[in-house]
Amino acid sequence: MVIDIKNYVSYNLSELLKKGYLFIGIIAALGPALLISYFILSGKTEFTIKHVSNFYCMLGMLTAVLHPLYFVNRDYSSKTISLINNSKQNRKNYVLANVVIALVVSLIYAAIGVVLLLITKQLGVPGELKPSFILGFSANVFLLVLTFFLFGYILLLFGFRSGAVYGILTASLLFFHNILGNVLESRHNTVLSNVIENFPGYFYPVMVGSNPLTFLQYAIGFFTLIVLLALVLKKSQRIEI
């Protein structure tokens, strides 16, 4: 029996909704953003619309990555993956189906983020909200979610326990880029600065809610995405017992 990608995606997305995981994740994303919006509108801070988008991405990108990764972790942890990995076509379809789920989740979070920014802007949050920023924000969310989902997927394929994978992703999205930022500030080395600024593990968490990426960063991002997908597909060719 061949896995039907459309049915797999529909079934698991409905599970995210029925179990409330998607709702909880969106609330976690909106909470900090709504709080900072309140402080801005009440005159207690001079932050701008980009601070709202940054606070939305703070927890939002982590929850968006964990949603699709939940299904992969569930299947590998319960060993039901052995029932799926019974043919080359099923192994390929399984990977592609989970990538589609990650894609849909990224679009949901991007859309909600855009609506949040438009509403808060209408309410009076200061700052420019240009179409280029909206497009860049959406593209950044899409690339970040897919990239870090595939990164977490690879870690699971190499036998990392779910707790370790979630810990690595949390550190990567919330803390690691701050360490690299401190290195940038303390080391005035042009080559090192260029390497760090064009490293996806740095520019995605830092820039996702701030500005569109540079052409070079987008090129690196797409290349990284393709490499990660190829690695996942290749590693998934091994039949699990």
Side-chain angles (χ1 to χ4, degrees):
M1 183 176 177
V2 178
I3 294 175
D4 185 290
I5 294 178
K6 182 179 178 181
N7 289 339
Y8 179 92
V9 171
S10 298
Y11 179 81
N12 285 296
L13 284 176
S14 65
E15 182 179 336
L16 276 183
L17 290 170
K18 291 176 182 177
K19 290 190 174 181
Y21 296 152
L22 185 60
F23 178 75
I24 293 172
I26 291 172
I27 291 298
L30 289 173
L34 293 175
L35 186 62
I36 199 65
S37 298
Y38 168 76
F39 284 124
I40 293 172
L41 293 171
S42 63
K44 296 180 181 179
T45 178
E46 296 181 357
F47 286 168
T48 66
I49 194 72
K50 287 186 178 181
H51 290 91
V52 177
S53 61
N54 275 310
F55 274 81
Y56 173 75
C57 292
M58 183 173 64
L59 293 178
M61 296 303 93
L62 177 61
T63 57
V65 169
L66 295 184
H67 287 323
L69 198 62
Y70 160 76
F71 300 112
V72 180
N73 177 59
R74 177 197 62 188
D75 293 336
Y76 276 86
S77 298
S78 64
K79 303 300 182 182
T80 55
I81 192 66
S82 60
L83 302 175
I84 297 169
N85 281 349
N86 57 8
S87 71
K88 182 177 180 180
Q89 188 62 49
N90 271 351
R91 292 194 292 273
K92 179 181 178 181
N93 285 7
Y94 179 78
V95 172
L96 294 179
N98 282 290
V99 169
V100 171
I101 291 175
L103 169 61
V104 173
V105 169
S106 72
L107 294 177
I108 291 173
Y109 272 77
I112 291 174
V114 170
V115 171
L116 169 70
L117 294 176
L118 292 174
I119 291 176
T120 52
K121 180 62 178 176
Q122 285 295 112
L123 291 174
V125 174
E128 291 186 324
L129 196 58
K130 297 179 179 179
S132 59
F133 175 74
I134 295 293
L135 290 173
F137 171 81
S138 302
N140 294 350
V141 170
F142 164 77
L143 288 171
L144 183 153
V145 173
L146 275 254
T147 299
F148 280 85
F149 160 70
L150 288 171
F151 174 57
Y153 198 153
I154 288 175
L155 292 177
L156 290 173
L157 287 172
F158 277 95
F160 282 75
R161 293 184 178 276
S162 57
V165 174
Y166 295 154
I168 291 171
L169 288 173
T170 300
S172 299
L173 287 168
L174 298 181
F175 305 111
F176 182 60
H177 60 279
N178 290 325
I179 297 175
L180 293 178
N182 290 332
V183 172
L184 275 177
E185 292 180 1
S186 61
R187 307 276 182 175
H188 301 289
N189 184 300
T190 303
V191 175
L192 179 62
S193 297
N194 287 333
V195 170
I196 292 176
E197 288 173 356
N198 292 298
F199 172 54
Y202 174 75
F203 67 69
Y204 275 141
V206 170
M207 301 292 288
V208 60
S210 301
N211 289 293
L213 305 178
T214 65
F215 177 81
L216 177 59
Q217 288 171 334
Y218 277 122
I220 292 172
F222 277 109
F223 177 75
T224 302
L225 196 58
I226 292 170
V227 170
L228 289 174
L229 179 57
L231 287 174
V232 170
L233 285 169
K234 183 176 181 179
K235 181 64 177 176
S236 297
Q237 293 310 301
R238 181 172 64 87
I239 298 178
E240 298 289 333
I241 304 300

